[in-house]
Amino acid sequence: MYWYRLNYVATQYSIAGTTAKGIAASVERAVADGGLGPGDALPPVRRLADELAVSPGTVATAYKELRQRGVVVTRGRGGTVVAAAPAVASRRPPKVPAGLRDLAGGHPDAAFLPDLPALVAPSTGPRSHRSTPRLPLLEERVHAWFDRDGVPSGHVTFAHGALDCVARLLATELRPGDAVAMEDPGYHHLLDLLQAMGLRTVAVAVDDEGMRPSELKEALRSGARAVVCSPRAQNPYGGCFSAGRRDALAEVLRQFPEVLVIENDHAAEIAGAELNSLTGGGLARWAQVRTVTKYLGTDLRWAAAACDPVTLARHDGRLLLTSGWVSHLLQAAVLTLMNDPSAQLLVARAEETYGERRAAFVKELARHGISAHGASGMNVWVPVRDESAVVNGLRTRGWWVAAGARFRLAADPGVRITVAGVDPSEAARLASDFAGVLGESEATYGG
């Protein structure tokens, strides 16, 4: 038995095994069963080797295998600890406590989601979905969708949502241990995904115009083999590429033609900002991924990607060997909503309303002397000095917001507030509560 203390919480667990695979399996079982939780420390290599009567090399190999599969991370002198989102655990977001207003989930306002169409019966007779994986009418519609915003649409494909697409693109391009330049703060599910894939993240700071060119250049110089970024509605910061920032980033990227650039335009129709895409900047390897879950329906797990021909071939080759195709029933539902005038009118209203709500909240915070970031999208990022104090303080006042820790690599602390459902009439109260909590935090914790 081992007792370790982390964040003032005692954790008890046992590790067994006489081979690297056995030791790794023992740790993995403990994580899956809940005996080891995120952040819990594993014994130092030499200590565990002595206890199990194996060589330090055997334990080191076990820890390396666990790192490559996203179960643990190494923090230098901080030792080896269970990952924040270990790939073997069925970890789900915590349930919102009863009576609290959920501003943490990143969800759209359900009032602006169109009704889903009735399922279309599949056509009768034998057919090969693998040979025709995309409905021709939807593929035609997707070409027009990308063309409208100046994204080269010569090669398009479909996937089961944005994360599914990004994961497949990276899996066909990179190997465990390779580095990916990521936004900081960035989308926590993407950060967790890279960790689970055994990829290293290289932080690139963002501001209201997206990734900073100088930091991106440093990340690429350090060996990053791929870049994942958001051209607008950046989650959680809300930044969006200006034309000037787009050009500056493209200039940097053209110096590294072998690097795969993935744009995640996840909120294309409701971002509240025009698209200034890197994809038309003369890049050799690129993909832009779009999905519809934020404005057509959260259960529509479908995404489209426009990309260069090499990237397309690698993505579709892997898709063919796994799920084969995206459900034609799902594709038919997406096509119906894309062509439904009433649904598209609702989407346009959503984009306008989210912009008003975002601006109203940022304005109300400013009245209290609080700076915030939310140039586009559904979220507002508010820098704070003590995330826990702010999250817990707002909880006592009826608001449930997201601590910034899960979004950050090296960025300063902050909280993410999803304002999609916060009416301008409520913005003043939320901002006032936020200011009150900040005051209490400064008095209690010194800021």
Side-chain angles (χ1 to χ4, degrees), residues 68-406:
Q68 289 178 340
R69 288 190 283 110
V71 179
V72 303
V73 295
T74 298
R75 295 176 175 171
R77 294 184 178 180
T80 300
V81 302
V82 178
V88 299
S90 56
R91 192 170 76 100
R92 299 291 180 182
K95 291 184 178 180
V96 180
L100 298 189
R101 182 75 173 278
D102 182 12
L103 306 182
H107 306 305
D109 187 337
F112 294 102
L113 297 178
D115 293 332
L116 295 179
L119 288 178
V120 180
S123 60
T124 58
R127 57 178 176 164
S128 173
H129 291 79
R130 291 179 185 272
S131 63
T132 310
R134 296 181 289 277
L135 292 182
L137 289 178
L138 180 57
E139 187 169 2
E140 180 181 334
R141 182 70 172 78
V142 166
H143 280 289
W145 191 24
F146 284 115
D147 285 339
R148 182 200 67 185
D149 294 327
V151 176
S153 70
H155 303 88
V156 301
T157 189
F158 300 164
H160 304 90
L163 285 173
D164 173 71
C165 188
V166 172
R168 194 173 294 107
L169 291 170
L170 293 175
T172 60
E173 196 74 23
L174 308 181
R175 296 294 177 267
D178 286 344
V180 181
M182 297 291 293
E183 297 166 327
D184 186 24
Y187 184 38
H188 61 99
H189 286 309
L190 273 174
L191 298 176
D192 292 345
L193 173 64
L194 263 64
Q195 180 177 282
M197 294 176 68
L199 301 173
R200 293 186 295 112
T201 55
V202 181
V204 178
V206 301
D207 56 28
D208 292 329
E209 295 183 70
M211 276 187 165
R212 295 177 180 172
S214 60
E215 298 208 13
L216 175 60
K217 190 170 187 177
E218 287 302 312
L220 296 175
R221 281 178 171 172
S222 72
R225 295 189 55 202
V227 178
V228 181
C229 59
S230 302
R232 52 185 171 178
Q234 195 273 341
N235 188 356
Y237 206 86
C240 53
F241 291 166
S242 64
R245 177 61 58 85
R246 183 257 334 265
D247 293 345
L249 291 170
E251 182 178 355
V252 170
L253 289 165
R254 283 193 293 269
Q255 300 173 40
F256 302 86
E258 72 285 357
V259 169
L260 174 63
V261 179
I262 303 174
E263 279 191 347
N264 181 18
D265 194 20
H266 65 96
E269 304 301 281
I270 56 167
E274 68 176 358
L275 176 66
N276 289 298
S277 174
L278 293 166
T279 60
L283 306 182
R285 301 296 313 286
W286 61 272
Q288 197 201 68
V289 181
R290 293 184 175 184
T291 185
V292 297
T293 55
K294 297 297 186 184
Y295 44 89
L296 291 185
T298 54
D299 207 33
L300 292 176
R301 311 310 297 176
W302 173 89
C307 46
D308 69 85
V310 172
T311 300
L312 176 81
R314 292 179 179 178
H315 174 278
D316 283 7
R318 183 64 61 89
L319 178 67
L320 184 66
L321 294 171
T322 53
S323 59
W325 69 92
V326 176
S327 164
H328 282 196
L329 292 178
L330 174 59
Q331 292 186 48
V334 171
L335 178 62
T336 298
L337 290 173
M338 280 187 162
N339 291 333
D340 182 354
S342 62
Q344 294 307 306
L345 180 61
L346 197 58
V347 171
R349 286 178 52 201
E351 180 179 37
E352 180 181 1
T353 302
Y354 294 159
E356 292 172 350
R357 292 175 177 178
R358 192 175 63 247
F361 181 52
V362 171
K363 181 179 179 181
E364 289 296 334
L365 286 174
R367 290 182 61 246
H368 293 276
I370 302 171
S371 62
H373 304 276
S376 59
M378 302 189 304
N379 302 300
V380 171
W381 177 264
V382 189
V384 299
R385 299 182 69 178
D386 190 314
E387 294 177 3
S388 296
V390 171
V391 170
N392 291 329
L394 287 173
R395 177 176 180 172
T396 66
R397 299 177 186 232
W399 308 102
W400 183 249
V401 303
R406 59 181 178 162

